[in-house]
Amino acid sequence: MVNFTILAGGYTSFIASYMFNSETNTLTYLNQYITGGNPTWITSHPTNKSVLYAVNENQPTGALQSFMVGPEGALTLVETAYSGGSGPPYCSGLSTGQVAIVNYGSGTARVIRTTDPLHFSADDSTIVTFPVPTAGTQGVSEPHMVYQYGKELLIPDKGNDKIWRLGQNGSPGDFSVHGQIAQPIGSGPRHIQIYENQLYTIHELASTLTLQDFPAYPNFSTPIISNVSTVPNYQPAGSSFAAAEVLIPLPTAEFPTPYIYTSNRNTGVQDPLDNRLVLRNQVYTGLNQIRGMMHGQQAGEGGDAYIVAAGFAGTAGVKVYKRTEGGANLEEVAVNTELPTRTSFVWLKQ
């Protein structure tokens, strides 16, 4: 028997913990731990898995929080720092020991120094402000993610239809924009992954996944190689889709093919048949607007067989899926509805 502990953030004032038993295929709600408001994105420290970071997606003043992780995912709040803006939807611990956070509501980003993994030193951290777009449909900068690749930080900006390239100017906490990767106008780039030096971008407004070679440093461009729709073939009347998440679990002996998993939120009329498996690569989940989705490879041995997901709205709760057919398909194996919605997940190391 293998038990996996899963932490889940959301639009509440707590982070929830779950236990997934892969032998009995049960998902048990364990506890909740008080946080600041709206810890919608949570992430583990890149090397110290006893440390967790969370955003407080509040307006007009967002925040970053650090937690110590105990047995069964018990969390102890250690410190809180100003995010540098409004409505931060994403944060990421960096290999340098710093923590990066983006602010969707104010079009800003900040890289915060740490004195150790749990303690921030934010006073001398630069706030990066992105320009107001002159083309496209949004009219405002809307940074949605930060992704470290080598020495660069990549920030998809849904409002600017660009992926900003940031570099450190010298001292920790001092970052600025040195380049950009243009995306199709009006597409709304939201999240990215890089695999074998190729850039995969999920576009919220266009509901597409694009592929291009990663452009050379510091500010070069490459053509889009492929652009595919993430909208399902079957669309209920009144539906309106918006792509949200993209995952690429690394290949393993059990799953040698690096499949790409994307989520698509139906922000319109919901489908009453949403539990139906439609195609080999399209799984209807019954979840309303899937925003949170994470593969279990974070947990170590055995975790790579599973993906956890939840909706941003509705009452369908949290669901765990098993990767089947070598990863080409998904089978629902567990569900817990005690909390109706969640927005992000962390699988804790076993």
Side-chain angles (χ1 to χ4, degrees), residues 12-321:
T12 54
S13 292
F14 62 84
I15 294 172
S17 60
Y18 295 85
M19 183 71 72
F20 171 56
N21 184 315
S22 61
E23 185 176 90
T24 61
N25 285 336
T26 54
L27 183 64
T28 304
Y29 173 62
L30 296 177
N31 212 332
Q32 58 182 246
Y33 303 96
I34 299 301
T35 66
N38 300 316
T40 55
W41 185 263
I42 60 175
T43 185
S44 292
H45 185 277
T47 57
N48 186 344
K49 301 308 178 183
S50 66
V51 174
L52 183 84
Y53 299 120
V55 303
N56 290 169
E57 193 179 337
N58 297 327
Q59 297 181 347
T61 304
L64 172 70
Q65 294 189 306
S66 64
F67 298 84
M68 187 165 53
V69 183
E72 293 190 342
L75 298 179
T76 302
L77 174 62
V78 177
E79 194 160 28
T80 302
Y82 173 47
S83 70
S86 172
Y90 200 100
C91 66
S92 179
L94 307 181
S95 62
T96 57
Q98 302 169 90
V99 184
I101 187 166
V102 294
N103 297 284
Y104 182 85
S106 56
T108 58
R110 194 178 199 189
V111 181
I112 298 175
R113 291 198 309 117
T114 59
T115 55
D116 60 58
L118 287 164
H119 295 91
F120 305 127
S121 178
D123 292 344
D124 53 356
S125 297
T126 304
I127 297 174
V128 179
T129 300
F130 302 110
V132 175
T134 57
T137 58
Q138 298 300 93
V140 292
S141 170
E142 295 174 327
H144 220 293
M145 181 192 192
V146 57
Y147 187 104
Q148 183 180 17
Y149 190 58
K151 295 183 179 180
E152 289 187 279
L153 300 184
L154 307 174
I155 298 181
D157 188 331
K158 192 181 82 170
N160 266 295
D161 294 314
K162 293 179 175 62
I163 299 171
W164 300 109
R165 307 178 73 162
L166 276 65
Q168 185 171 316
N169 294 323
S171 60
D174 184 11
F175 279 73
S176 62
V177 175
H178 64 71
Q180 63 190 49
I181 305 171
Q183 299 299 301
I185 295 298
S187 64
R190 178 185 173 100
H191 280 194
I192 63 173
Q193 294 288 332
I194 297 177
Y195 180 74
E196 293 187 344
N197 207 44
Q198 290 190 306
L199 172 64
Y200 297 81
T201 305
I202 197 80
H203 300 268
E204 178 177 336
L205 302 181
S207 285
T208 56
L209 175 68
T210 60
L211 167 65
Q212 61 192 116
D213 292 326
F214 187 75
Y217 181 91
N219 186 26
F220 292 86
S221 61
T222 56
I224 289 178
I225 300 170
S226 182
N227 187 335
V228 297
S229 174
T230 62
V231 176
N233 293 334
Y234 169 76
Q235 301 173 42
S239 61
S240 178
F241 287 93
E245 185 60 275
V246 55
L247 304 175
I248 309 179
L250 295 176
T252 64
E254 186 177 359
F255 300 97
T257 302
Y259 285 100
I260 304 164
Y261 300 88
T262 65
S263 70
N264 222 348
R265 299 173 295 157
N266 180 1
T267 61
V269 176
Q270 299 302 303
D271 183 3
L273 302 178
D274 259 2
N275 279 324
R276 181 172 49 125
L277 185 65
V278 176
L279 292 175
R280 178 182 176 92
N281 60 346
Q282 292 181 339
V283 179
Y284 281 80
T285 64
L287 298 168
N288 188 340
Q289 301 185 43
I290 303 172
R291 171 169 162 175
M293 183 172 73
M294 182 56 66
H295 57 80
Q297 200 166 70
Q298 293 177 324
E301 185 177 356
D304 60 349
Y306 300 98
I307 288 176
V308 63
F312 159 74
T315 59
V318 176
K319 296 187 177 185
V320 176
Y321 296 86

